[in-house]
Amino acid sequence: GDGIAALRQAAPRSLHLVLIDPPFGQHGLFEPALQAAARAVATDGFIYLEAPQAFGDEALAASGLRAHRRLKAGAVHAHLLCLLSD
């Protein structure tokens, strides 16, 4: 199914964990997925994002998010994100 559409249909602040791991060749999916996840995640929830590149503070802030933790394993940049207001 369409994960971004499912996130957009979720009630605001209703999810405590959102996992985002789009295909690495689909760079256009990251921002829409982050924006939808930021709307759906609970104020005490987390978003886990895997991507081929690191997402900086400015890019995350544009979606209302901040990095709680980051790591790199091989070609994968992993981000544990939370809402800016936390």
Side-chain angles (χ1 to χ4, degrees):
D2 184 337
I4 295 172
L7 282 172
R8 288 179 177 151
Q9 292 174 4
R13 306 289 173 250
S14 64
L15 305 176
H16 289 276
L17 178 64
V18 177
L19 305 172
I20 302 174
D21 184 13
F24 271 24
Q26 301 293 320
H27 294 287
L29 296 177
F30 289 101
E31 285 79 9
L34 284 172
Q35 290 170 358
R39 183 186 103 14
V41 74
T43 56
D44 61 345
F46 289 97
I47 299 166
Y48 175 80
L49 167 68
E50 284 192 356
Q53 78 277 354
F55 276 77
D57 294 336
E58 281 188 34
L60 294 172
S63 293
L65 300 168
R66 68 176 177 84
H68 181 71
R69 298 214 194 292
R70 292 183 170 117
L71 67 86
K72 184 174 186 310
V76 176
H77 291 266
H79 311 73
L80 185 62
L81 309 173
C82 56
L83 294 174
L84 270 175
S85 59
D86 284 355

